[in-house]
Amino acid sequence: MRIKIEENIAEQIDSFKGGSIFFVEDFLDFGSSESVKKALLRLEEKKKIKRLSHGIYYKPEISKIIGELLPSIDDVAKAIARRDKARIIPTGVYAENILGLTTQVPMNPVFLTDGAARAVIIGNRKINFKKTVPKNLATKGKISTLVIQALKQIKKENIDEQSLHLILQQLKKESNENILHDAKLAPAWIRVIMLKSIENE
């Protein structure tokens, strides 16, 4: 029975793409939580999979040029959100970094969520999930959502011409429909910036 559970899990993992992230909960069709944990531990010992954090595993992906590729923080956060059936959005300096407003890569990125507030340690980094109100998660556009969060981090008094130009350029990649929808959910001063991106169209 023990070997069968491990074989079933290994077979399913074989069908995953390199870099895929998974959890104990993904294999509960094959056995109890405890037996799945033990099977994953054995597969880790056999170097078939690797552990990112407590209860979080991934299938190694190898590049011929740079060797093993670790899953990105974004991929890990999205996988946790999928498991928890929660919504998440990047915020703070991490949102700024994604938009190219800063080269600073936060060691402890923050995601707003409607799931549980928690911190997940991944190596020497920490992913923080911060509980937020539904309004902050009601935005539709990927770029416009990031713009709102980045501008909240920068603050109105700190916006310079270069940052404003970059933000308007990024918003050109977003649909007008999403900008109009999301601007209604933003603070008034951010709404003005967002609507400026579609004024001349």
Side-chain angles (χ1 to χ4, degrees):
M1 181 67 176
R2 189 189 87 168
I3 293 169
K4 185 67 177 168
I5 291 170
E6 185 182 332
E7 284 176 354
N8 286 338
I9 291 173
E11 190 176 322
Q12 187 161 329
I13 289 169
D14 282 342
S15 72
F16 293 167
K17 292 190 302 184
S20 294
I21 299 163
F22 42 88
F23 308 88
V24 171
E25 292 85 348
D26 291 325
F27 306 104
L28 294 180
D29 287 348
F30 299 132
S32 68
S33 177
E34 199 53 44
S35 56
V36 170
K37 281 179 189 173
K38 287 177 180 174
L40 290 172
L41 182 63
R42 290 191 294 274
L43 289 170
E44 184 189 358
E45 287 168 352
K46 293 174 182 176
K47 303 200 181 331
K48 296 253 184 200
I49 61 174
K50 291 200 172 183
R51 191 159 67 100
L52 276 170
S53 187
H54 180 69
I56 307 175
Y57 299 87
Y58 72 100
K59 180 179 179 178
E61 181 179 9
I62 309 298
S63 159
K64 290 177 181 175
I65 301 166
I66 56 176
E68 187 178 330
L69 302 170
L70 284 171
S72 71
I73 287 294
D74 204 50
D75 287 340
V76 177
K78 284 175 181 172
I80 292 170
R82 170 182 59 79
R83 179 193 66 184
D84 296 347
K85 296 179 173 58
R87 291 178 296 170
I88 60 168
I89 55 172
T91 190
V93 177
Y94 191 45
E96 286 185 74
N97 176 262
I98 297 169
L99 287 170
L101 296 169
T102 178
T103 54
Q104 184 185 344
V105 180
M107 289 299 290
N108 305 314
V110 179
F111 291 82
L112 299 181
T113 183
D114 57 359
R118 67 174 72 185
V120 178
I121 307 293
I122 306 290
N124 62 346
R125 301 182 73 179
K126 181 166 70 173
I127 305 175
N128 296 287
F129 294 97
K130 186 178 173 185
K131 187 88 172 172
T132 191
V133 294
K135 179 183 175 182
N136 286 330
L137 296 159
T139 50
K140 288 182 177 179
K142 183 180 177 182
I143 300 291
S144 47
T145 296
L146 287 169
V147 164
I148 293 169
Q149 295 305 319
L151 285 172
K152 283 182 179 179
Q153 172 71 19
I154 297 168
K155 297 187 173 51
K156 185 178 181 179
E157 61 271 20
N158 298 325
I159 287 288
D160 57 29
E161 284 301 317
Q162 185 182 3
S163 296
L164 186 59
H165 176 72
L166 269 169
I167 285 164
L168 293 174
Q169 288 301 111
Q170 287 284 11
L171 284 169
K172 295 292 182 192
K173 303 172 190 173
E174 189 64 84
S175 75
N176 288 0
E177 182 188 345
N178 285 344
I179 291 172
L180 289 167
H181 175 275
D182 296 348
K184 292 173 187 169
L185 300 166
W189 70 274
I190 295 177
R191 187 180 311 136
V192 169
I193 292 172
M194 293 175 73
L195 295 178
K196 192 180 286 188
S197 71
I198 56 176
E199 270 175 10
N200 302 322
E201 294 193 4

